[in-house]
Amino acid sequence: MLFRSAQARIALDAAQFDLAAQALEQARPHLDGAPVAAGGHHLLLGQLACARGRWETAMAAFEEARRLAQRSGELGTECQAALGRAALLTAQQAWGAAHAELLRAQRLSPTPYLRALVDLRLGAWHAARGDTQALEYLNLARAAFVALHLTRETAWCDLHHSAALLPDLTSAQRALEDALQARHAHGSPVLLAELDRKSTRLNSS
């Protein structure tokens, strides 16, 4: 079961969504009586559905991951489930509900990595609203990810940084170029797709 979950995580990061779904389906029969593993499984299901643009499915999976994590006392999974819901709610401009999830995740974040993820999502929430406070959170998250030697997460910070800097096109383009350099270092297809979308927005501004 752990192997299948790891396989699903690797496939998801590589944007091999069918392979990720197959690995998760193969792990499903082994989840009975294992709430910790089941919570992580539903978290991955939510992240996969989110990557595929299936928001309702993702929201339901994150809620089930939260329920199972609360049952098992797995704070990390509960935190990430709240962050997943916050990202979806932010995309839907449900500002109050998204912020409530972010505050919940902030209370639950037990590790430096998860605390940095919370700061990243808080920065993204502020950036989506056009708040200048976004830069404070994104800079905190970026510094933490750099200290942890995580190039992909650093690039996510740079992507949101570019959005927060608009309409300052020069600064936004510089942040986007930083994200592009990190993408080449990490080789993430998912990150490349997001970079393409951001570049199109900047070039049309």
Side-chain angles (χ1 to χ4, degrees):
M1 179 170 58
L2 290 176
F3 171 75
R4 293 302 180 192
S5 296
Q7 186 181 37
R9 175 78 270 168
I10 293 169
L12 180 57
D13 287 345
Q16 296 177 339
F17 300 145
D18 289 341
L19 182 59
Q22 181 183 0
L24 288 170
E25 180 60 26
Q26 290 171 347
R28 187 172 57 83
H30 306 287
L31 297 175
D32 289 344
V36 173
H41 180 85
H42 280 86
L43 182 66
L44 284 170
L45 284 173
Q47 291 168 346
L48 175 60
C50 193
R52 285 175 155 174
R54 299 171 184 173
W55 287 10
E56 289 186 9
T57 300
M59 194 70 81
F62 287 138
E63 183 56 39
E64 181 64 7
R66 188 216 305 272
R67 185 188 70 80
L68 290 164
Q70 288 173 339
R71 176 181 163 194
S72 64
E74 187 65 27
L75 295 182
T77 298
E78 188 179 354
C79 176
Q80 290 184 77
L83 289 176
R85 288 175 61 84
L88 291 170
L89 290 164
T90 298
Q92 296 171 33
Q93 298 185 359
W95 307 123
H99 196 247
E101 294 287 354
L102 288 168
L103 293 179
R104 182 177 292 111
Q106 197 171 45
R107 292 193 298 270
L108 293 166
S109 52
T111 66
Y113 174 73
L114 288 177
R115 286 193 290 274
L117 277 184
V118 171
D119 284 337
L120 171 58
R121 280 291 150 211
L122 279 165
W125 182 83
H126 282 288
R129 289 163 49 91
D131 299 338
T132 56
Q133 196 175 358
L135 298 178
E136 175 186 345
Y137 285 109
L138 292 172
N139 287 336
L140 283 172
R142 191 183 196 283
F145 289 136
V146 168
L148 292 168
H149 307 289
L150 297 172
T151 54
R152 181 188 60 181
E153 286 81 355
T154 300
W156 287 127
C157 291
D158 290 332
L159 280 172
H160 288 295
H161 203 166
S162 70
L165 287 167
L166 289 171
D168 182 349
L169 291 180
T170 300
S171 296
Q173 187 66 43
R174 189 178 304 119
L176 196 61
E177 288 170 357
D178 289 342
L180 184 60
Q181 290 176 3
R183 183 269 157 187
H184 285 306
H186 188 268
S188 168
V190 175
L191 184 55
L192 179 59
E194 183 63 20
L195 279 165
D196 286 341
R197 287 195 291 271
K198 294 283 187 183
S199 295
T200 299
R201 289 174 199 162
L202 280 178
N203 291 333
S204 62
S205 298

